[in-house]
Amino acid sequence: MLNVLRVANLALLILFPIAWFAPLMRAGLLPVFGLSEISVISGMQSLWDSDVALALLVTFFALFAPYLKTIGLAMIHFNLMRRKVLPVLSWLGKLAMADVFLIALYIVLAKGVGIGKVETAWGLYLFTACILASIVISTLTAKRS
């Protein structure tokens, strides 16, 4: 079981960066014009221009929290860190899930206003799956101890 958790967790080290650059949604002002693809990275780039504080927060939620959690779990799996840090790592995973919630909320708000067009893309599902997989891996790691 430990080997499965190790491999799954290490796979997240590859899948998270893919999810960050994958299109989360396609958005456009009017249906007549083409839709622009928005990823985690392109969204953060836009935020840095307009709101630095929010950009820092989103950067922490979307990039650092899930990746630090994944690295921490790997260190626990390879006995390089004590299991006492598992509650902190679980907390980091919940912060990353808050980012997925915010993205979904923005999509719902944009669709509700009806000014433009918003479509979800495969990157949103990949990013969400990575976060959920990370939560499951940490839960199974905690039960294993």
Side-chain angles (χ1 to χ4, degrees):
M1 177 72 162
L2 178 61
N3 285 335
V4 173
L5 291 175
R6 282 180 181 173
V7 170
N9 191 56
L10 292 176
L12 289 175
L13 291 174
I14 297 167
L15 291 173
F16 269 122
I18 293 170
W20 295 331
F21 288 94
L24 296 172
M25 65 184 104
R26 291 176 200 82
L29 186 56
L30 297 171
V32 176
F33 301 109
L35 299 176
S36 300
E37 289 188 338
I38 300 168
S39 67
V40 171
I41 298 298
S42 69
M44 285 190 308
Q45 287 172 335
S46 297
L47 277 176
W48 281 104
D49 294 335
S50 61
D51 190 344
V52 174
L54 184 58
L56 284 170
L57 194 64
V58 170
T59 300
F60 179 76
F61 282 171
L63 299 181
F64 293 121
Y67 218 67
L68 287 174
K69 178 185 179 185
T70 304
I71 291 169
L73 283 173
M75 292 177 76
I76 289 172
H77 290 157
F78 290 99
N79 297 319
L80 299 172
M81 187 182 291
R82 292 183 175 208
R83 293 183 176 275
K84 290 181 180 181
V85 286
L86 275 172
V88 174
L89 296 178
S90 285
W91 185 73
L92 284 174
K94 291 174 184 162
L95 287 177
M97 197 62 210
D99 196 50
V100 172
F101 172 75
L102 287 175
I103 294 167
L105 182 65
Y106 292 143
I107 291 171
V108 169
L109 288 174
K111 285 186 175 188
V113 172
I115 293 174
K117 183 175 181 181
V118 177
E119 298 173 353
T120 56
W122 64 273
L124 178 61
Y125 300 108
L126 177 60
F127 186 62
T128 304
C130 287
I131 299 295
L132 292 175
S134 178
I135 291 170
V136 169
I137 291 167
S138 65
T139 301
L140 292 175
T141 299
K143 285 184 179 181
R144 204 182 156 280
S145 58

